[in-house]
Amino acid sequence: MHRRGVGAGAIAKKKLAEARYKERGNVLAEDQIVQMSKQLETFKSNLEEFASKHKQEIRKNSQFRVQFQEMCATIGVDPLASGKGFWSEMLGVGDFYYELGVQIIEVCLALKHRNGGLITLDELHQRVLKGRGKYAQDVSQDDLMRAIKKLKVMGSGFGMIPVGGSYLVQSVPAELNMDHTVVLQLAEKKGFVTVSEIKDSLKWEKERACHVLDHLLKEGLAWLDSQAAEEAQYWLPALFSELTSRDVTPEEANQMTP
Amino acid sequence: MDRFSWSNGLLEINETLVIQQRGVRLYDGDDKAKLDVGVALLSTHRLIWRDVKNHECCIAMPLSQILLFEEQAAGIGKSAKIVIHLQATPANKEPGPYQHSKYSFIKLSFKEHGQIEFYRRLTEEMTRKRWENTPASQPIPIGTGSQAGRTRAVGIVGIERKIEEKRKETDKNISEAFEDLSKLMVKAKEMVELSRSIANKIKDKQFGLRSYLLSMGIADPVTRETHGSGTHYHMQLAKQLDDMLQAPLEERGGMMALTEVYCLVNRARGMELLSPEDLVNACKMFESLKLPLRLRVFDSGVMVVQLQSHSEEEMIASALDNVSDKGSLTAEEFAKLLGLSVLLSKERLLLAEKMGHLCRDDSVEGLRFYPNLF
């Protein structure tokens, strides 16, 4: 670990010392390069010292992670930008979040057939924890959100929609505009929504409501219950909670309906 | 544990579920409760616990019963816990699993993690005390009577002092860490400002400066779309990816979503993982390094790695063949046929449509593609 850090820094430093920056008359002076190299070395040893004392803290303490991330953001540094960064290598923050990214992708992929690529942050959190197993480090929802922000870079359609005090995590590039988002938020309370409810709460015309609901159906984000008592209900599988539903085994399913 | 009452686990009218966590074992004081591992649920009004196998076995306690609570860190072979100190049992408490207990505290042991979030939410609910504003339809028993009050006063002082001492100790450790962190950040800020002022003067790509910026995690102001961040590290990565992805790409019809590649590569590595940005930057170098792979971005924003040998015409022609063969196809059917992911098969069909070879039938039953006879 220590050696690797020194290697990366030494190469960077060497390149700096050797490089002559010439571009349309802008020449980087020799002493500027030297100054930068020196400061780089000093900073690296500060970071190493910090790491030796507090590396465990970052792994164990989610509050500390939040503070660390926020401070980095304030000074304009992204510690998660590269696995090859100092932060990543010496503090081990990188692996923590990149691995979390893998786990998030896998959970979303596994459930996509059921919820169309939309899942509550709570459910995602639960399932990621379950997948990590007993001996892995606990993760907070803040950790998940930061990992998801990083995943966006890969064009995977990852996004977060604020709903009812928490978030829905989207993992497919389905186009969801303000109208769709607002209907999702409306559906959050009961897990479903009807055309009348949309008209009453949002004061929309019937066409607008139907247009949005049709889109959600097409994208597989909503299921239609046309046999509901008064009017058709549009259910969102992403919002099914433990209290209103339970995963059924095939044997149980066979026993249930004639 | 004698503060809990049997419950049907259903929420009352004004009660909302805040968080639930599987894999929780209850402790009566320091002893394991005579219950299995179950699900702990926190609502705006109560703490509920339910056996995983036997849903009938469900107990609850009003949050107003809680006096204080604290975290107990995980140890070797020990799960993280939340210790909850309780008020005296109220006179009108409904029967529960324990008639009597010698302890005034319980523990929740998080065998499947989730302690961080549960603790955070519990703190929030205990601060907001939402049960006071919107009383649930059932009367919540409250501890009353001078007898209960007096016992409380005596018991608490010792506990509070212990918790306070522990907090001071933890705070000291954390303060030191935060202090060190702040000092570190001050130095980092100087580095950032220095490098920014220099980077602004340099327009051309210079490997040395690039590596340095990358190491510091500073956004490179001169990143070019075609060359990405252009560091040696990413060049090496690009070559590694070429080796690693040939076989998987062949198996998957010549194309893989970038997220798939990310998972594949990082799972194989185990440690020293790639960041999403590392992967994207490496892929951007395929062309300039003359490697037989390409990074491609579809209109939808989906990014894929594809074998260069897989020409666009071939893909479109085969898509048209398949669709003509079956009369029409949806993305799901196409995916099954080719062994591709639904996401990528949809992109192929869209591409063929864009080139005018297919046309769509878009209904609530799904998106279906037909050969374009127009």
Side-chain angles (χ1 to χ4, degrees), chain A residues 159-218:
Chain A
M160 287 188 292
I161 302 168
V163 142
S166 178
Y167 293 91
L168 279 175
V169 175
Q170 181 184 353
S171 59
V172 287
E175 204 204 278
L176 294 180
N177 58 30
M178 278 300 302
D179 275 7
H180 302 120
T181 307
V182 141
V183 166
L184 287 175
Q185 289 166 341
L186 194 58
E188 194 262 341
K189 295 188 194 73
K190 295 187 289 184
F192 71 90
V193 76
T194 61
V195 174
S196 311
E197 279 168 11
I198 295 177
K199 283 168 70 183
D200 290 339
S201 305
L202 303 175
K203 309 282 183 272
W204 287 1
E205 297 292 315
K206 185 171 174 209
E207 272 116 36
R208 189 173 171 190
C210 288
H211 185 69
V212 167
L213 291 170
D214 278 351
H215 182 80
L216 293 177
L217 277 180
K218 269 192 224 166

Side-chain angles (χ1 to χ4, degrees), chain B residues 57-72:
Chain B
C57 177
C58 183
I59 55 178
M61 168 181 16
L63 292 181
S64 51
Q65 278 284 141
I66 296 179
L67 192 58
L68 315 143
F69 57 99
E70 51 168 340
E71 291 179 279
Q72 195 178 315

Side-chain angles (χ1 to χ4, degrees), chain A residues 46 81-83 106 136 150 242, chain B residues 20 113 187 267 275 277-278:
Chain A
N46 288 330
S82 173
E106 288 177 345
K150 280 284 133 201
E242 269 259 353
Chain B
Q20 66 192 24
H113 300 304
K187 299 204 175 85
R267 281 260 177 240
S275 75
E277 267 143 299
D278 285 337

Side-chain angles (χ1 to χ4, degrees), chain A residues 4 12 15-16 20-21 23 26 28 32 35-36 39-40 43 46-47 50 53-54 57 61-62 64 67-68 71-72 75-78 80-87 95 98-99 101-103 105-106 112 122 125-126 129-130 133-142 150-151 153-156 173 214 217-219 242-243 246, chain B residues 9 11 17-18 20-22 41 50 55 111-117 120-121 174 176-178 180-182 184-185 187-192 194 196 198 201-204 206-209 212 214-218 232-233 258-259 262-263 266-267 271-280 300-303 343 346 362-364:
Chain A
R4 202 172 70 229
K15 293 229 179 298
L16 277 173
R20 293 285 177 266
Y21 301 95
E23 225 278 330
N26 285 329
L28 193 62
Q32 268 187 300
Q35 184 197 12
M36 219 155 70
Q39 279 198 276
L40 187 66
F43 179 73
N46 288 330
L47 188 57
F50 181 83
K53 281 164 79 179
H54 302 297
E57 205 65 47
N61 187 338
S62 69
F64 196 63
Q67 271 288 57
F68 170 74
M71 282 191 182
C72 283
I75 63 171
V77 160
D78 180 4
L80 299 181
S82 173
K84 210 58 186 165
F86 290 151
W87 309 99
D95 279 8
Y98 307 147
E99 191 189 3
V102 170
Q103 290 160 347
I105 293 173
E106 288 177 345
K112 199 172 79 162
D122 280 343
H125 185 224
Q126 289 295 308
L129 281 179
K130 197 154 181 239
K134 284 206 296 200
Y135 302 103
Q137 193 67 35
D138 194 359
V139 294
S140 67
Q141 289 192 354
D142 182 84
K150 280 284 133 201
L151 294 179
V153 156
M154 297 192 288
S156 37
D214 278 351
L217 277 180
K218 269 192 224 166
E219 294 293 341
E242 269 259 353
L243 287 178
R246 196 163 61 90
Chain B
L11 296 178
L17 180 67
V18 170
Q20 66 192 24
Q21 179 59 50
R22 275 194 180 95
L41 301 101
R50 187 173 64 211
H55 282 230
K111 312 214 83 64
E112 289 178 30
H113 300 304
Q115 180 255 0
I116 300 178
E117 278 304 315
R120 186 172 78 81
R121 298 298 184 87
I174 296 203
E176 199 194 319
F178 280 134
D180 286 350
L181 181 64
S182 304
L184 188 72
M185 286 300 166
K187 299 204 175 85
K189 189 163 180 217
E190 288 168 13
M191 299 297 298
V192 170
L194 178 63
R196 278 230 184 93
I198 289 175
K201 295 183 193 155
I202 310 302
K203 302 282 190 304
D204 204 357
Q206 294 284 355
F207 277 16
L209 184 61
Y212 164 61
L214 188 78
S215 302
M216 282 297 297
I218 300 168
H232 273 134
Y233 172 60
L258 207 55
T259 42
Y262 177 77
C263 290
N266 276 338
R267 281 260 177 240
M271 35 187 270
E272 287 177 46
L273 305 180
L274 300 185
S275 75
E277 267 143 299
D278 285 337
L279 184 59
V280 171
S300 61
V302 170
M303 293 168 94
L343 187 73
K346 189 172 176 188
D362 204 353
S363 71
V364 284

